Amino acid sequence: MHTHRHNLAQLLAYTSPSNPRCQSEVFVPHTQPKPAFSPVPMADPDLNPPASTASERNRVRWRPDDIELGASGGAPVLGRTRSHGSMSIHSLRSNAGGADPSATLPIQYRTISIDIDDYNRRNRIAKKADKAATTDLADLEWHTMSVDEAVRRLSTSVDQGLSQDQAKRRTAEFGKNAPEPPESHRVQEIIGYFFKGFGSVLLGGCILVFIAWKPLGNPPATANFALAIVLLAVFFIQAAFNMWQDWSSSRVMASIKNMIPEECLLIRDGVQVSAMAVDVVPGDLLLIKAGNKLPADVRFVRASSDAKFDRSVLTGESVPLTAMVDATDMNYLETKNIGLQGTHCSSGTVTGVVVATGNRTVFGRIAKLTNEPKKGLTTLEREVLNFVLIICSIMFFMIVVVVVLWAAWIRKTYPNWIDVPLLIVGCVSVAIAFIPEGLPIALTASLTISANMMRKNKILCKSLKTVETLGSVSVICSDKTGTLTQNNMMVTDCCVGAQAISAEEAHDNLIAEHANDDHGNNGLVSNAMDQLWSVGGLCNAADFDAVTRHLPLPMRKIHGDATDQAILRFSEGLGPIAELKRCWTTKFNLAFNSKNKFMIRVLGVAHADGLGMALPNGVGAIFEPSDMLLTIKGAPEILLDRCTRYTSLSGVAMTLNPAVRDKIEHIKDTWSAQGRRVLLLAHKAVSRTSIKSPPSSAALENEVLEHAKAGLTLVGLVAIVDPPREEIPSVVKTLRGAGIRMFMVTGDFALTAQAIARECGIITNPNSIVADVTALSRDRDTTTKSPQDHSPSEDGPDSDLQTSIVLTGNDLITLNDAQWDQLISSYTEIVFARTTPEQKLRIVREIQSRHHIVAMTGDGVNDAPALRAADIGIAIGGGSDIAVEAADMVLLESFSSVVEAVRFGRMMFDNLKKTIAYLLPAGSFSEFWPVMTNVMFGLPQVLSSFLMIIICCFTDCLAATALAYETPEADVLLRPPRKVGVDRLVDWKLIVQSYGFVGIAETTTSFAMSYWYLERNGIPFTTLWFSFGNLPDTIDKDYYAQKLNEASSIYFVTLVVMQWFNLLAVRTRRLSIFQHPPLFNKATQNYYLFPAMLFALVMAFFWLYIPPLQPMLGTTPVPVEHWFLPMAFGLVLLWLDEARKFFVRGWPKGPIGRLAW
């Protein structure tokens, strides 16, 4: 867990009053000199780095790349970056003008808050003796110290505020209260555009060729000048493509500046003054009233009873929080006596003292984190860098060989063969030969094409470079509700009086109750169903849409959570909710949250008719008008222990004895095992005299929660079904066949989650062999693979044995590293039930730390931290803005699109390998040998350096780009996921294929065609071998130069034509061209290949057949037979590759199969 601590340190160091730079002249020890005032939020740990100690390793850290990457330990680091360029998709709901901070900030805020809670919890368990090392990080004191202490430390006054002189000094010291723009690295970015990849080699070669042209050329060779111009053009073209790919802009900061108020009310020198928000300084006394936004982080010193603050811009949660003077939480970000910059006061009045301004506020720090420039490399960038290093290493080695041969042998033995200008051009030719100059262009085009293809399949990719990461995903953690299920909930059963009945029977029973009442039973009949109707309808945050209220109940639109919608529709079926709301008014409301797992609504009676509906028989008679009814709805495992009575079938509240409790537990477990979500509904009559706080008081919430801890009357249970999407079982089966493990992460009860997982196919074993936490040994099992030994691909389609386990959130708290190792390496089917957002984030990080690439799906606000931390965050299109912003990918239609996303992710990696496999034979290997034979064997350079550039940047480039349109091969989802760092984009197998097979074939054929042509024209090969320019007198030099130009053009044409057939061969890595035809099969066709071939032909004609270019470039027309002979050789090459693929498919473990790229 240590990887996310640095991030937290940066935030907390700015808010810790114990930082040495935070001591003012009032509270520093008198034994020390008085430093200039520097309140707590101004501390900067980077200016005073602490010594590295053992305890420091346990510190919380806040590092921007953690939240982006979610990496830890030795896991492969995937560089999660936020792409904001012209080729990125910001959000389904984002406007063109900039980012919506309400969607971006809560992700960072919630992640940091979770990290603080996690650190504090571990720190309490560890009880470290050396507390000083972490005081400035986690023991935040602004919220826990008394008002007097906070005021004293800030050298201010709750009555007088700061003096004008103090304010001026602090403004001079700490600057204006405004977020600083993100640090610009424009110069470094521009330099990177030009010099990353092969840019530096191209520019260096261009300069050297210019020097070889002039002044070293004697006379200056026009071909060298043309070569230098082309190299310079390619240098700028690559820079333009790099700029297009990486172009980005900071759109969040501009939006954040608009969220900070312009003016505010302060007390300075005891007088209320209006000041610009940018002039606020630490220690200022701030007056806040309803509607005001906070210009800085504030410690409340006074608060009215109705003061509330809306933190939705930071948390994403719309329910306002009550302002308190005393701390309510040890977490600085969660306590209610701290007001955070950018939030606003929704009601009441508050006085507070400013504790942080500018970039030192929580808001400013998160904003800065959001705008952090990317750090680290994505998997794709790492692979390309690895390829560049390999090629450049070989290139420099060969250049050294050329120079050494020239200096030690040729310069002395054959001084007239290669002079200095020719040596320079020769070295540049080696560089040109080895560098596939068309790769950056093809790579950028491939990324864009792949993203557009995914968009057509209703998959939106927000960052082009992370698309490829999908190909290496080994674990998908999926939320249940709305992702695996339809999010179309309905109540199927209910339990009243410890008796289970269907929803239809409940309706009939209620009608019977009312019929008995109408027959004059004086209200002594059962009102058990009325009580269920009342609690379900009143303790509910959903509302009917007014426009559709006249429609039949099943067709009415309801606003609210899916669970509330189901219960509201069920209650409306029992009776009109409007009648309940006429009789009862809401006095207090506590919304459902993932920590409490229940909702509370306190009601006051508005009409006597409501007593008979909502209260047990006999209780209504003693219910005073000023009394209140506490209604509660939530998880049975939380609320059942709080119930002491239950509503019997007769409507009377009776003691909840063990027998009845067991019966209710059995009903709950039975429903849960059937995949239904079970909620408990209860109420409690509360005397007005037992509640001391006024209705508008901030203390009322604590009193209500205290009353809800015991003495509840269980009214009933409801069972809600949310059926899985029809396509989910086949999706899970497909992913399992692709070697990807599917884990369910849900907040539902364990039995419910297990049942739904079985319906979805996530769990395939019978319940009897599904393990629980007891199966995980706390001691490291020597038979269990260590995280380093565990390979994601070992869970591939060949793994027949599936092992299942179900864990709850409470189980996760107790797991140690050894148990996590066993869980991730030994179990293929895992369900995490009753999890909180904090635990979802931990699950992602724990799996990542064990060398897995994790995709996380979700659609809610609480899923955002886990979505951001995952290697690939996948949001569902109908989810919240915050989830969409946190994710890398958005599935617009349904979860089934994830199969296509994985398919395209793997396809993209395959297509990039195919692109490189296509470029290397002609664009590297076949270009290198004419240079080396020229130096080593004294043969003429049978392919000019200029035509080498033409092959790389013109004839091959479009064809390489066309490979990006290749559809996935049929077996792409039958292979295990790629292992990052092991399965490389360019490995030895691809080098063997490109150089040892295709490269040798094309090079040998091209040499043969060129020297055969010279042989037929009176220049025998034996004359040229080791000649070093010493030709017999019988061969005219001008004639020789002309024929040599023709031979060079033939070499060029041979490569161009044979590359057409290589293009057809590299389309598939294992399948035959007949299994994956390029034409007449909609699933496999790629019509772009043939225009690319035609373009190569046009380019060849352009450079060879235009007379004005021929003398300058040294090109000539080619005899017609040399256009058709390479076609025959190309067919042989294609046939040989088909034979290779046949052996790969038939004998994958054989020698040829093991060499397959």
Side-chain angles (χ1 to χ4, degrees):
M1 300 296 290
H2 68 279
T3 56
H4 60 278
R5 295 174 179 167
H6 175 67
N7 299 336
L8 191 56
Q10 294 183 19
L11 176 66
L12 305 190
Y14 282 103
T15 53
S16 173
S18 52
N19 189 294
R21 294 183 60 224
C22 301
Q23 315 298 320
S24 73
E25 58 267 32
V26 172
F27 59 86
V28 294
H30 295 295
T31 57
Q32 299 178 4
K34 293 182 180 180
F37 177 83
S38 181
V40 174
M42 304 303 144
D44 191 340
D46 296 332
L47 299 181
N48 296 290
S52 177
T53 64
S55 61
E56 184 183 35
R57 288 192 292 270
N58 293 321
R59 287 185 170 192
V60 178
R61 295 286 185 259
W62 183 18
R63 204 173 55 194
D65 58 342
D66 169 64
I67 297 176
E68 285 291 331
L69 310 180
S72 61
V77 178
L78 300 187
R80 288 281 309 280
T81 61
R82 316 307 300 168
S83 175
H84 302 309
S86 59
M87 297 190 297
S88 65
I89 300 161
H90 313 314
S91 169
L92 299 182
R93 303 163 180 82
S94 63
N95 54 48
D100 181 6
S102 64
T104 58
L105 295 178
I107 305 164
Q108 307 286 9
Y109 177 91
R110 186 54 57 200
T111 305
I112 297 166
S113 178
I114 290 171
D115 288 344
I116 293 174
D117 281 336
D118 183 58
Y119 174 79
N120 286 336
R121 180 172 60 254
R122 288 183 289 107
N123 194 44
R124 286 194 300 271
I125 294 172
K127 296 181 180 178
K128 299 292 183 183
D130 183 12
K131 203 170 185 178
T134 56
T135 298
D136 62 333
L137 302 179
D139 294 339
L140 303 179
E141 298 175 2
W142 284 127
H143 58 307
T144 58
M145 69 177 63
S146 66
V147 171
D148 292 340
E149 177 68 8
V151 169
R152 184 180 70 81
R153 292 202 182 193
L154 289 167
S155 301
T156 187
S157 166
V158 294
D159 299 316
Q160 299 296 314
L162 295 177
S163 67
Q164 292 294 344
D165 289 340
Q166 282 180 305
K168 288 179 181 178
R169 287 198 303 270
R170 296 181 187 186
T171 301
E173 184 173 357
F174 305 115
K176 295 291 186 180
N177 176 34
E180 299 174 4
E183 185 179 357
S184 174
H185 300 280
R186 184 57 59 189
V187 175
Q188 293 92 320
E189 288 178 3
I190 293 174
I191 292 174
Y193 294 148
F194 284 96
F195 293 101
K196 69 181 180 180
F198 301 117
S200 56
V201 177
L202 290 171
L203 183 61
C206 172
I207 294 172
L208 290 174
V209 174
F210 266 121
I211 293 173
W213 172 59
K214 283 185 179 181
L216 297 181
N218 187 23
T222 307
N224 287 347
F225 175 74
L227 176 61
I229 293 297
V230 172
L231 285 174
L232 189 63
V234 174
F235 173 73
F236 282 106
I237 290 172
Q238 286 202 357
F241 270 88
N242 289 333
M243 194 176 300
W244 177 35
Q245 183 176 345
D246 286 344
W247 176 78
S248 63
S249 61
S250 294
R251 54 196 184 94
V252 176
M253 184 59 71
S255 301
I256 287 171
K257 289 181 179 178
N258 296 331
M259 301 182 67
I260 299 176
E262 295 182 358
E263 293 187 1
C264 56
L265 292 176
L266 303 174
I267 293 180
R268 286 184 178 171
D269 290 321
V271 179
Q272 181 174 313
V273 296
S274 177
M276 299 298 294
V278 294
D279 295 326
V280 172
V281 295
D284 262 327
L285 198 62
L286 186 66
L287 302 179
I288 310 152
K289 59 183 180 180
N292 291 162
K293 282 187 178 180
L294 293 185
D297 285 358
V298 176
R299 165 66 158 90
F300 300 144
V301 297
R302 300 189 191 98
S304 65
S305 60
D306 60 339
K308 292 187 177 182
F309 279 80
D310 183 352
R311 286 188 172 187
S312 58
V313 66
L314 289 176
T315 64
E317 299 168 356
S318 59
V319 179
L321 298 179
T322 303
M324 312 282 282
V325 174
D326 298 323
T328 59
D329 198 302
M330 292 301 294
N331 188 335
Y332 184 81
L333 301 185
E334 301 296 337
T335 185
K336 297 179 182 178
N337 66 340
I338 294 291
L340 301 178
Q341 183 188 51
T343 63
H344 73 269
C345 180
S346 58
S347 63
T349 58
V350 173
T351 301
V353 61
V354 174
V355 296
T357 58
N359 271 13
R360 301 164 184 87
T361 63
V362 171
F363 193 90
R365 294 301 299 175
I366 295 175
K368 185 177 180 181
L369 178 61
T370 305
N371 284 275
E372 283 284 345
K374 70 171 187 175
K375 296 187 179 182
L377 301 174
T378 64
T379 51
L380 181 58
E381 288 173 323
R382 288 174 181 274
E383 293 298 330
V384 172
L385 177 61
N386 177 66
F387 171 62
V388 169
L389 292 176
I390 292 174
I391 291 296
C392 288
S393 298
I394 300 175
M395 176 196 74
F396 284 118
F397 175 76
M398 290 302 175
I399 288 176
V400 170
V401 170
V402 170
V403 173
V404 169
L405 283 174
W406 177 81
W409 174 39
I410 297 175
R411 182 174 62 89
K412 299 175 181 179
T413 309
Y414 305 101
N416 297 324
W417 176 233
I418 298 178
D419 56 12
V420 174
L422 285 178
L423 175 66
I424 293 174
V425 173
C427 292
V428 172
S429 298
V430 172
I432 294 171
F434 267 101
I435 295 175
E437 289 86 355
L439 178 62
I441 299 172
L443 178 62
T444 300
S446 178
L447 288 168
T448 308
I449 291 166
S450 298
N452 289 333
M453 291 173 69
M454 296 178 76
R455 187 181 294 114
K456 290 179 181 179
N457 284 271
K458 306 298 183 182
I459 305 166
L460 298 187
C461 304
K462 295 169 62 180
S463 178
L464 295 179
K465 294 178 183 177
T466 57
V467 173
E468 179 274 327
T469 308
L470 277 166
S472 53
V473 166
S474 56
V475 173
I476 296 179
C477 295
S478 177
D479 185 31
K480 180 181 75 70
T481 304
T483 303
L484 300 177
T485 62
Q486 300 175 15
N487 203 26
N488 183 21
M489 299 185 184
M490 61 178 295
V491 175
T492 58
D493 298 271
C494 62
C495 169
V496 178
Q499 179 176 325
I501 57 176
S502 67
E504 292 79 9
E505 291 174 331
H507 180 264
D508 296 338
N509 289 355
L510 187 63
I511 293 176
E513 289 179 6
H514 291 172
N516 290 335
D517 193 25
D518 293 339
H519 283 85
N521 290 314
N522 299 321
L524 297 179
V525 299
S526 168
N527 71 340
M529 293 307 305
D530 276 329
Q531 292 180 51
L532 184 67
W533 165 50
S534 300
V535 178
L538 294 172
C539 189
N540 201 305
D543 288 299
F544 284 105
D545 182 70
V547 177
T548 60
R549 185 173 289 276
H550 65 284
L551 297 176
L553 182 58
M555 300 175 62
R556 294 185 200 174
K557 183 178 180 180
I558 301 178
H559 302 288
D561 174 77
T563 303
D564 280 334
Q565 290 185 36
I567 296 177
L568 187 67
R569 204 179 298 274
F570 166 71
S571 298
E572 181 72 11
L574 298 179
I577 302 299
E579 178 66 15
L580 292 173
K581 293 185 176 180
R582 179 183 69 85
C583 300
W584 295 93
T585 59
T586 301
K587 301 295 185 183
F588 173 82
N589 185 73
L590 179 65
F592 177 90
N593 64 66
S594 57
K595 291 184 178 180
N596 293 337
K597 297 189 182 297
F598 57 74
M599 170 190 178
I600 295 177
R601 184 163 287 180
V602 179
L603 308 164
V605 65
H607 195 282
D609 291 349
L611 299 177
M613 301 174 185
L615 296 172
N617 291 334
V619 177
I622 60 175
F623 192 88
E624 297 291 337
S626 60
D627 292 342
M628 289 186 284
L629 179 64
L630 185 153
T631 59
I632 188 168
K633 172 189 68 186
E637 64 269 25
I638 302 294
L639 299 182
L640 187 56
D641 289 339
R642 303 184 181 193
C643 297
T644 56
R645 302 165 70 84
Y646 77 101
T647 300
S648 66
L649 287 174
S650 62
V652 177
M654 302 181 67
T655 301
L656 185 61
N657 56 52
V660 176
R661 185 184 298 273
D662 291 344
K663 189 173 181 181
I664 292 173
E665 287 271 13
H666 176 72
I667 293 173
K668 180 201 70 171
D669 291 345
T670 300
W671 286 344
S672 296
Q674 295 170 354
R676 303 176 192 182
R677 174 177 292 181
V678 183
L679 292 181
L680 184 148
L681 282 65
H683 59 47
K684 178 181 181 180
V686 180
S687 171
R688 184 66 187 89
T689 58
S690 64
I691 295 183
K692 310 300 181 183
S693 305
S696 59
S697 170
L700 178 60
E701 177 179 336
N702 293 331
E703 286 200 56
V704 169
L705 287 172
E706 194 64 31
H707 278 288
K709 288 182 178 179
L712 300 178
T713 299
L714 189 156
V715 174
L717 303 177
V718 291
I720 303 173
V721 65
D722 185 12
R725 298 178 184 270
E726 293 181 0
E727 69 275 12
I728 292 301
S730 63
V731 169
V732 173
K733 183 178 180 181
T734 302
L735 292 175
R736 183 172 285 127
I740 299 174
R741 291 190 287 172
M742 185 88 172
F743 298 166
M744 178 190 286
V745 185
T746 179
D748 270 347
F749 186 61
L751 288 175
T752 304
Q754 183 174 332
I756 293 294
R758 175 164 286 102
E759 290 184 46
C760 294
I762 295 175
I763 286 183
T764 56
N765 291 317
N767 290 339
S768 58
I769 61 173
V770 175
D772 58 19
V773 70
T774 59
L776 302 175
S777 171
R778 298 195 65 81
D779 299 322
R780 189 174 298 277
D781 186 356
T782 56
T783 62
T784 300
K785 291 174 289 186
S786 68
Q788 290 74 22
D789 295 333
H790 179 64
S791 166
S793 65
E794 290 169 342
D795 301 319
D798 295 332
S799 298
D800 297 325
L801 181 61
Q802 306 295 337
T803 50
S804 310
I805 190 170
V806 177
L807 300 176
T808 65
N810 290 334
D811 296 334
L812 296 182
I813 297 173
T814 66
L815 296 186
N816 59 22
D817 286 343
Q819 290 173 303
W820 276 106
D821 291 343
Q822 297 169 51
L823 177 66
I824 304 305
S825 63
S826 302
Y827 290 90
T828 57
E829 301 174 347
I830 305 178
V831 172
F832 298 98
R834 277 292 185 241
T835 55
T836 64
E838 295 87 342
Q839 289 165 340
K840 289 184 180 181
L841 181 59
R842 184 187 179 192
I843 289 167
V844 169
R845 286 172 170 167
E846 292 286 356
I847 298 174
Q848 286 175 323
S849 69
R850 286 154 179 85
H851 295 256
H852 282 277
I853 308 304
V854 181
M856 177 74 191
T857 69
D859 59 358
V861 172
N862 289 330
D863 296 324
L867 288 172
R868 174 63 63 86
D871 300 303
I872 289 289
I874 303 175
I876 307 302
S880 66
D881 279 352
I882 294 173
V884 170
E885 184 66 33
D888 298 281
M889 185 172 295
V890 182
L891 307 181
L892 292 183
E893 290 189 341
S894 70
F895 182 74
S896 61
S897 301
V898 77
V899 172
E900 291 303 311
V902 171
R903 190 195 308 274
F904 278 108
R906 294 188 178 186
M907 176 205 74
M908 180 178 175
F909 189 80
D910 282 356
N911 287 351
L912 287 176
K913 288 182 75 78
K914 294 171 185 177
T915 296
I916 293 174
Y918 170 76
L919 289 173
L920 288 184
S924 177
F925 190 83
S926 299
E927 293 178 352
F928 164 73
W929 282 108
V931 179
M932 289 306 295
T933 56
N934 173 252
V935 175
M936 296 176 64
F937 306 122
L939 294 170
Q941 185 174 320
V942 77
L943 178 65
S944 70
S945 300
F946 179 82
L947 289 178
M948 292 180 188
I949 290 287
I950 299 304
I951 291 174
C952 291
C953 296
F954 291 93
T955 61
D956 275 359
C957 190
L958 194 62
T961 304
L963 286 171
Y965 286 99
E966 279 299 320
T967 57
E969 294 184 50
D971 66 339
V972 73
L973 290 180
L974 299 177
R975 307 197 300 255
R978 182 175 70 87
K979 291 180 285 185
V980 175
V982 177
D983 299 327
R984 310 307 297 255
L985 181 65
V986 178
D987 55 12
W988 67 269
K989 295 179 180 179
L990 188 140
I991 295 295
V992 168
Q993 167 73 15
S994 300
Y995 287 173
F997 176 45
V998 181
I1000 288 178
E1002 291 187 352
T1003 302
T1004 303
T1005 305
S1006 300
F1007 269 127
M1009 289 294 95
S1010 297
Y1011 287 115
W1012 179 56
Y1013 176 78
L1014 292 175
E1015 184 88 27
R1016 288 190 300 154
N1017 285 272
I1019 307 175
F1021 180 76
T1022 55
T1023 303
L1024 302 176
W1025 182 255
F1026 276 99
S1027 67
F1028 293 98
N1030 297 319
L1031 299 175
D1033 295 335
T1034 57
I1035 300 177
D1036 181 71
K1037 290 186 177 181
D1038 291 336
Y1039 176 79
Y1040 171 74
Q1042 172 65 24
K1043 293 304 175 182
L1044 189 60
N1045 286 340
E1046 292 177 6
S1048 176
S1049 299
I1050 289 172
Y1051 194 105
F1052 170 75
V1053 167
T1054 304
L1055 288 180
V1056 169
V1057 174
M1058 291 194 70
Q1059 278 290 86
W1060 296 347
F1061 297 90
N1062 183 33
L1063 180 65
L1064 296 175
V1066 299
R1067 288 183 61 247
T1068 60
R1069 296 169 61 186
R1070 294 172 178 81
L1071 299 181
S1072 166
I1073 192 173
F1074 302 105
Q1075 296 172 311
H1076 197 88
L1079 293 172
F1080 313 122
N1081 185 328
K1082 192 173 182 180
T1084 63
Q1085 64 191 15
N1086 184 358
Y1087 290 122
Y1088 294 101
L1089 298 175
F1090 302 98
M1093 295 178 187
L1094 179 62
F1095 176 79
L1097 180 63
V1098 170
M1099 284 292 99
F1101 271 92
F1102 177 81
W1103 298 109
L1104 299 183
Y1105 286 85
I1106 296 180
L1109 296 179
Q1110 291 172 351
M1112 181 173 63
L1113 303 179
T1115 57
T1116 64
V1118 173
V1120 66
E1121 66 269 21
H1122 286 281
W1123 284 101
F1124 290 98
L1125 284 173
M1127 294 184 185
F1129 298 136
L1131 285 173
V1132 174
L1133 176 67
L1134 182 60
W1135 180 84
L1136 289 174
D1137 196 61
E1138 282 291 302
R1140 181 191 66 83
K1141 293 173 185 175
F1142 173 78
F1143 284 103
V1144 170
R1145 292 193 306 272
W1147 297 272
K1149 303 290 186 181
I1152 296 179
R1154 294 180 184 277
L1155 290 174
W1157 60 285

